[in-house]
């Protein structure tokens, strides 16, 4: 019956056919597209466009021509009387045929049931990232990317849909070509394991967000999965491309600090109040110069450049891609450089009909100069006063020379950046090898062995030096060498069968992962010269060594998945995975993860089928239970560390407080999403709402100090116990919209917008009832400034509420005073031990008439209410322009630097705002300066305290003065590109050349007064703490991508 | 592909999966031992208890030991160190780092002791003889008592913790009453006195250490909650235990007060409990006292440090009689004093000002300790020594009497004096003993403890002592040998009250555990 109908149609069509010809070009670059399929609607066969994009087909006037090509939006055109139809195909933004990695398999985007966002390598490279993870910011809804340090090669923190765990790692799982990169605790200080990947090698990144998408990866994936696929060779003529850029980096903002005249004037005023400490050289500030601006000395314009050559190609048996790359970046702060040499080889070979083998291999060598972070150079530079010269007139290094005992000696950061050595090198080999056996048409087995082999060295040398009164009499050096080996063996079967309306796909496999590590270190002191730094040159009697080796954690897993599709309308996915982890005691070792999802392709229902403007409308719902094992090994027993001891040579220190009951953290994850694509892909959106509730939270539990344990650095304290403490909920949505606003012959304008909101709430902190809290102290005032409590979001700021300064006599009546240890208010007195004019007033929140710890309250959350990204791309003829913004709204930042540097009694450098200190005046100038009724503050609206040398009021206690609005809108990137015209290129045997110029971190709109409101943290209890970060540079780049073929 | 090949592949794969043995998930650390399998032989017990004598566990308390013990009672100060000046001027805030480091440090010690005690009880191999286990537990309980004693003296009511692992599930504690804290630590010491041997390797505590401290603790407890007079039964207990150490231990005072503090004489027989600091260790593990408090980097390891030279007060200096030169020179440097043993290679050191001498031991060559660094002085300073117990014994005999000429009291009191080269006394009263203790034990963290002991039953007198102190700097003319109190105004100091004798609990700790702000509860129900 079908056959006859088709015959009839064909015959009836044949009678009136005529030839239609034309050229098919790309809307983006107006270049011809070969290989486009051209079909008459309803016909069985069709044509393919030629190499120059031309086509020719026989059709009837009432026929419809369908033009389709992978990764372009399909077009349907009514022929009418036209004999020539030129077609411009638009690259589809949310292409439904695009392939998405779903974990051990690939699926077309239109058949995905989970919440997965993808980003193309080309989009990623727009921001010229040093490492690819930096480039995800603002590009994927629901993914929060924050730079922890602007240091070259420094890490970022990535969170997918909020914080589910307080263990410190909320990092997603990274899977690079099937190789799992184990998460690291603190990637901030240059130890970013992802910095070995050259962004130019990345083909695409898929972000797996909800449990139905991640469950197949099991317990490691509870914070989401980022799957990176590198480029592979394609069958065809070899292609050679050369990718080059060079950039110049600068610091976008410097903090306003006092210059020498201001500083001298200030110090003179303070000496008058203190009655001591006058500096004779400051007697006439007007004759002094500006002094040293230490930020100008520290920060520099720094170059960076990158060269990548890629050769790819192959035939139908073997495809290859070989890429070599060199990247060199100097840091904008002295003493920080990053160099990366990398080689990638990706090979695929169809050995026999039933066997396919291949490999993805990467070799990388990295040299990093880490002086900046190792020597605390930024904080030294911000602490040094302008009277200290970089170099003395005789050429020697400058330093603090004042003999006043209260002025701390601070190391000259410019000198130490040049004199000391902190060099880390890494040699990384990682890759996998696979074999895929096709047993039948439906059933295949894939075996993968993958590994990550990391070999590193760290060489440090601290010279002997004299910087004024800072003297280091004896030099010292150390060398460390370490290796870690991570291997995975994985086997899985895939079965596919098409039962007509029912399509069935199943996966089952086994995976075993294992870690090993080894490190040794050696140190000596007393080297004969600062220039001879080899360990063997040091004093042999001072030699120390250290080392450890052993087995890290291991895990073993069984997993399976079923995908069902009915009539291309209803999709069902089910996952199950059983994980065993060495991190838990024997009886808690195994845990099962499962998830299910359902998707309804509404556009394939009869009632929408004929609505042409809707290309896709898909509803997804999913639920999963995932588990987290992300704690160090062996925390369930007390571990004993060997330490030197004066009694017996060595002794066994108990280094952690164990918790034998520790078990898996569990997250219940609900997700619902709606995907839509309209007007032939010109508008698309993807909206997800989710609710994740994490129970039995795994946590390095910050107990009171009396527990003898600590989560931070505290000599002699044990490591905090890992415990299952309480539960937490993250709810929110993420929305991604892409549109092509204008699409004309010469001009195209596309926009992309992402927005996400995550609401975090602690539901319970199991231990200690509702009183329990997780707190963190700031080093700057030795006080708690963060408190996490039930009913509140994690990591909220906590402290006193500032209420002006004591400025007039009534203030002592209207405001409560702090109390001594017996609970008695301190006296109102200008003398030491009293509260006086110019001290800060705090709100007596509990109204008991005194200021004490019970008057603290929550001062805001570091978690933004919204995070968003806006991208606009314009194409005019051969030009393209891309502008990208990202921003946070509604979060607070703890400006930790301000505690010391706006405190006039401090003896390090000051922010300029400290000049606004409270100035005391006398009502009756001849009256007493200690009479409470005769004194007032001349500038009562300042927040900076008076000059009195007294800490009784504890003015620097944690208060909302230091908690500041962190909302910002940052223009991350502007790129202007130009593609050289074909007619020029063909004369010089080139395939394509694109040249471009880029500015990153162009400008930031924010109220925040610190260097940069974008502050990443790997520790959710210290999120939004600005401790003088290495700022992100502004970078001006020019570059070119040149492609040759044949 | 032949079917047989497929079968082979499947079998190989099956073998690979089965190859993951159960033990694949057992990943014990190879760098660290765990307590589960550590305690196999008596030697293991010794390695575990050695940890309690110094190094990391005691690291955070070593500076507070000196600064609280001698800064609070007006013995020493350093104007430019704000947190120390808070102690000295009685303007202590909850942010004071010396206070919080002292609190943390003592509880670190307690945690390590508790973990050792519980591990030996629960995990030690049955093959270890009970006497060895009991001895190791006794060492840990002795050291735990030292920590609780300091907590009780400085903070009064504090939480008592015996099993730190319980805090994982139940972290928030109330303070326990001060009398229960003393009762708890006296129980520890009683156990230690019964289970520690009479002699052991130098540096290890013996029954005499435990009995000596028990005597001192009973002496302290005898005044607790009393008004004017002390509890006679407790005084008798103090007398009994301190007297036992004096008469029956066979221990004698070291022959030279001056040489007592040299590292060459670490762990001499007079030392009843001294911290066992090792040289060559890094920050966080070693004795740092010279690095912070020495008057000059030139006499320190690798010519480093000397950041916060501790200055003795005029009030302390006045306690030394003219004849008391040995103790004076071993405790305080005066301008022009020559110390041939400090930086001996360069001809010794001549003091250019006034500063603390005790704990300043010279550089790595002076101590024949090549790995000594700024973070690791090899001095094993004593927290309890025999001379202290002699004076405790005399005070216990004096008891509630105004004065005594008891033969035993005079005998042991005068042993301390004659060793120092000063004349013996013929009658004892409280003030004589207090003064003697201050001079003998200057810069050993004791004077505050003595004043707190007095404040328990004679608060007015204790407060009066603080308020009448001459907290001035002074100068010394090396030519005329005249010391002169400085005429500049003393640092302004808040008047002492009875509450001055209790330190505030660190603010961060009260925020973390609001129950600490509640009234203390009994520990023994």
């Amino acid at each position: 019956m079908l056959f006859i109908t088709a015959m009839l149609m064909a015959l009836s069509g044949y009678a009136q056919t005529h030839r239609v010809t034309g050229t098919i070009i790309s809307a983006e670059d107006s270049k011809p597209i070969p290989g486009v399929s051209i079909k008459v609607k309803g016909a069985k066969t069709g044509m393919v466009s030629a190499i120059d994009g031309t086509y020719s087909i026989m059709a009837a006037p009432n026929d419809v021509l369908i033009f389709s090509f992978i990764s372009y939006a399909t077009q349907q055109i009514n022929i009418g009387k036209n004999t020539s139809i030129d077609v411009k195909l638009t690259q589809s933004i949310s292409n439904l045929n695009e392939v998405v990695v779903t974990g051990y398999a690939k699926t077309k985007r239109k058949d995905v049931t989970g919440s997965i966002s993808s980003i193309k390598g080309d989009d990623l490279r727009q921001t010229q990232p040093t490492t690819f993870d930096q480039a995800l910011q603002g590009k994927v809804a629901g993914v929060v990317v924050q730079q922890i340090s602007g240091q070259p090669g420094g890490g970022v923190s990535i969170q997918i849909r909020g914080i589910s765990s307080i263990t410190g790692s909320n990092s997603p799982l990274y899977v690079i070509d099937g190789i799992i990169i184990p998460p690291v605790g603190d990637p901030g200080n240059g130890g970013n394991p992802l910095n070995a990947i050259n962004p130019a090698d990345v083909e695409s990144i898929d972000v797996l967000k909800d449990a139905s998408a991640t469950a197949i990866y099991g317990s490691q994936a509870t914070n989401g999965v980022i799957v990176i696929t590198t480029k592979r060779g394609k069958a065809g003529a070899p292609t050679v491309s050369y990718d080059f850029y060079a950039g110049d980096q600068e610091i976008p903002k410097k903090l306003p600090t006092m210059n020498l005249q201001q500083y001298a004037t200030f110090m003179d005023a303070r000496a008058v109040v203190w009655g001591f400490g006058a500096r004779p050289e400051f007697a006439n500030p007007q004759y002094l110069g500006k002094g040293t601006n230490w930020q100008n000395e520290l920060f520099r314009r720094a170059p960076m450049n990158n060269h990548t050559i890629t050769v790819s190609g192959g035939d139908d048996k073997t495809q290859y891609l070989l890429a070599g790359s060199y990247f060199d970046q100097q840091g904008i702060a002295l003493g920080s450089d990053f160099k990366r040499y990398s080689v990638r080889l990706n090979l695929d070979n169809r050995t026999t009909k039933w066997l396919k083998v291949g490999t993805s291999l990467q070799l990388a060598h990295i040299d990093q100069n880490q002086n900046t972070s190792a020597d605390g150079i930024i904080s030294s530079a911000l602490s040094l006063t302008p009277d200290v010269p970089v170099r003395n007139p005789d050429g020697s290094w400058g330093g603090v020379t004042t003999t006043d005992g209260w002025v701390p000696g601070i190391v000259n950061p410019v000198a130490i950046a040049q004199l000391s050595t902190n060099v880390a090198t890494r040699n990384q080999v990682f890759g996998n090898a696979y074999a895929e056996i096709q047993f039948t048409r439906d059933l295949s087995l894939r075996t993968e062995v993958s590994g990550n082999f990391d070999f590193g060295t760290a060489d440090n040398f601290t010279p002997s030096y004299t910087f004024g009164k800072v003297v280091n009499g004896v030099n010292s050096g150390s060398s460390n060498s370490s290796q870690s080996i991570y291997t995975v063996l994985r086997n899985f079967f895939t079965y596919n069968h098409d039962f007509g309306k029912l399509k069935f796909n199943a996966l089952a496999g086994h995976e075993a992962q294992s870690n090993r590590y080894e490190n040794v270190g050696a140190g000596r002191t007393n080297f004969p010269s600062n220039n001879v730094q080899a360990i063997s040159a040091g004093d042999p009697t001072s030699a120390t060594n250290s080392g450890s080796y052993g087995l890290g954690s291991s895990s073993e897993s069984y997993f399976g998945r079923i995908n069902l599709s009915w009539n291309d309308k209803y999709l069902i996915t089910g996952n199950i995975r059983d994980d065993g982890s060495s991190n838990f005691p024997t009886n808690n070792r195994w845990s099962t993860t499962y998830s299910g999802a359902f998707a309804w392709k509404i556009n394939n229902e009869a009632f929408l089928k004929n609505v042409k403007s809707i290309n896709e409308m898909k509803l997804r719902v999913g639920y999963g239970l995932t588990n987290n094992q992300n704690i160090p090994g062996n925390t369930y027993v007390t571990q004993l560390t060997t330490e030197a001891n004066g009694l017996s040579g060595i002794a066994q220190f108990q280094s952690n407080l164990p918790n034998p009951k520790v078990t898996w953290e569990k997250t219940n994850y609900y997700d619902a999403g709606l995907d839509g694509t309209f007007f032939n892909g010109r508008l698309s959106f993807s909206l997800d709402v989710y609710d994740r509730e994490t129970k039995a939270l795994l946590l390095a539990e910050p107990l009171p100090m009396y527990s003898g344990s600590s989560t931070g650095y505290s000599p002699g304290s044990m490591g905090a116990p890992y415990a299952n403490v309480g539960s937490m909920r993250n709810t929110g949505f993420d929305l991604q919209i892409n549109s092509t606003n204008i699409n004309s012959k010469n001009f195209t304008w596309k926009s992309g917008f992402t927005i996400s909101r995550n609401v975090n709430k602690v539901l319970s902190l199991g231990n200690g009832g509702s009183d329990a809290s997780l707190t963190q102290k700031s080093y700057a005032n030795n006080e708690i400034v963060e408190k996490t409590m039930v009913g509140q979001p994690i990591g909220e700021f906590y402290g006193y509420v500032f209420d002006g300064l004591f400025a007039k006599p009534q203030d002592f009546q209207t405001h409560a005073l702090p109390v001594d240890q017996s609970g008695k208010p301190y006296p109102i007195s200008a003398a030491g031990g009293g509260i006086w004019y110019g001290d800060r007033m705090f709100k007596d929140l509990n109204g008991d008439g005194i200021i004490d710890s019970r008057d603290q309250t929550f001062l805001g959350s570091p978690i933004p209410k919204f995070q968003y990204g806006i991208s606009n791309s314009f194409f005019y003829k051969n030009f393209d322009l891309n502008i990208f913004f990202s921003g946070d709204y509604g979060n607070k930042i703890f400006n930790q630097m301000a505690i010391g540097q706006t405190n006039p009694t401090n003896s390090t450098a000051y922010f300029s705002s400290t000049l606004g200190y409270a100035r005391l005046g006398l009502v009756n100038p001849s009256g007493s300066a200690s009479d409470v009724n005769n004194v007032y503050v001349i500038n009562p609206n300042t927040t900076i305290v008076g000059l009195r040398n007294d800490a009784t009021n504890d003015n620097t206690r944690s208060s909302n003065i230091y908690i500041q609005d962190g909302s910002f809108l940052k223009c991350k990137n502007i790129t202007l590109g130009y593609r050289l015209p074909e007619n020029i290129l063909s004369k010089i045997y080139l395939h394509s050349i694109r040249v471009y110029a880029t500015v990153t971190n162009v400008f930031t709109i924010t109220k925040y007064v610190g260097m940069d409101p974008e502050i990443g943290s790997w520790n959710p209890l210290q999120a939004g703490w600005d401790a003088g970060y290495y700022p992100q540079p502004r970078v001006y780049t020019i570059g070119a991508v040149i492609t040759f073929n044949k | 592909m032949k079917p047989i090949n497929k079968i082979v592949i499947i079998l190989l794969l099956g073998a690979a999966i089965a190859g993951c043995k159960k033990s694949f998930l057992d990943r014990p650390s190879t760098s660290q031992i765990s307590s589960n399998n550590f305690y196999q032989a008596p030697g293991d017990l010794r390695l575990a208890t050695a940890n309690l004598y110094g190094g990391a566990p005691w690291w955070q308390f070593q500076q507070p030991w000196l600064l609280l013990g001698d800064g609070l009672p007006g013995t020493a100060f350093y104007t430019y160190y704000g947190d120390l000046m808070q102690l000295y001027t009685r303007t202590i805030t909850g942010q004071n780092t010396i206070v919080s480091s002292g609190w943390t440090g003592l509880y670190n010690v307690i945690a390590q002791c508790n973990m050792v005690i519980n591990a030996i009880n629960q995990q030690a191999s049955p093959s270890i003889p009970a006497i060895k286990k009991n001895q190791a537990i006794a060492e840990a309980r002795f050291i735990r008592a030292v920590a609780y004693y300091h907590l009780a003296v400085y903070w009064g009511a504090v939480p008592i913790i015996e099993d730190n692992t319980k805090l994982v599930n139940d972290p928030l504690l109330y303070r326990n009453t001060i009398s229960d804290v003393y009762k708890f630590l006296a129980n520890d010491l009683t156990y230690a006195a019964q289970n520690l041997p009479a002699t052991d390797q130098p540096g290890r505590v013996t029954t005499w250490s435990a009995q000596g401290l028990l005597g001192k603790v009973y002496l302290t407890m005898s005044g607790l909650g009393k008004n004017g007079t002390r509890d006679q039964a407790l005084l008798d207990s103090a007398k009994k235990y301190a007297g036992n150490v004096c008469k029956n231990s066979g221990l004698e005072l070291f022959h030279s007060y001056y040489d007592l503090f040299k590292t060459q004489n670490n762990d001499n027989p007079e030392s009843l409990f001294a911290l066992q600091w090792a040289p060559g260790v890094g920050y966080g593990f070693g004795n740092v006292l010279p690095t912070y408090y020495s008057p000059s980097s030139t006499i320190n390891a690798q010519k480093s440090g000397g950041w916060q030279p501790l200055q003795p007060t005029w009030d302390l200096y006045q306690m030394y009689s003219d004849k008391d030169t040995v103790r004076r020179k071993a405790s305080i440097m005066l301008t022009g004093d020559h110390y041939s043993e400090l930086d001996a290679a360069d001809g010794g050191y001549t003091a250019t000002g006034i500063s603390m001498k005790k704990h300043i031991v010279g550089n790595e060559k002076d101590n024949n300790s090549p790995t000594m660094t700024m973070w690791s002085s090899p001095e094993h300073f004593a927290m309890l020594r025999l001379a202290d117990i002699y004076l405790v014994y005399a005070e216990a005999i004096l008891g509630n009497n105004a004065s005594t000429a008891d033969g035993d009291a005079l005998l042991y009191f005068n042993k301390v004096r004659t060793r120092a080269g000063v004349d013996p006394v013929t009658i004892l009263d409280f003030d004589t003993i207090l003064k003697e203790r201050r001079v003998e034990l200057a810069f050993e963290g004791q004077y505050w403890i003595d004043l707190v002991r007095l404040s328990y039953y004679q608060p007015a007198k204790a407060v009066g002592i603080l308020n009448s102190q001459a907290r001035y700097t002074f100068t010394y003319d090396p030519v005329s040998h005249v010391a002169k109190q400085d005429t500049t105004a003393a640092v302004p100091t808040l008047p002492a009250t009875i509450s001055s004798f209790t330190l505030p609990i660190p603010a961060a700790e009260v925020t973390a555990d609001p129950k600490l702000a509640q009234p203390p509860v009994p520990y023994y129900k």
Side-chain angles (χ1 to χ4, degrees), chain A residues 4-27:
Chain A
I4 294 166
T5 315
M7 283 288 286
L8 285 172
M9 280 174 70
L11 281 173
S12 63
Y14 187 72
Q16 306 151 30
T17 54
H18 62 275
R19 183 165 298 274
V20 180
T21 59
T23 309
I24 303 167
I25 58 169
S26 157

Side-chain angles (χ1 to χ4, degrees), chain B residues 30-49:
Chain B
T30 38
S31 304
Q32 292 178 310
I33 313 160
S34 82
S35 62
N36 300 26
N37 49 23
F38 176 65
Y39 294 98
Q40 299 304 323
D44 299 331
L45 302 183
R46 300 288 268 185
L47 287 180
T49 49

Side-chain angles (χ1 to χ4, degrees), chain A residues 491 549 589 640 714 767 954, chain B residues 13 26 30 33 60 95 168:
Chain A
N491 290 288
Y549 73 97
R589 214 157 249 180
L640 303 172
S714 178
N767 293 348
D954 187 20
Chain B
L13 180 70
D26 285 325
T30 38
I33 313 160
Q60 290 206 46
Q95 288 69 43
V168 177

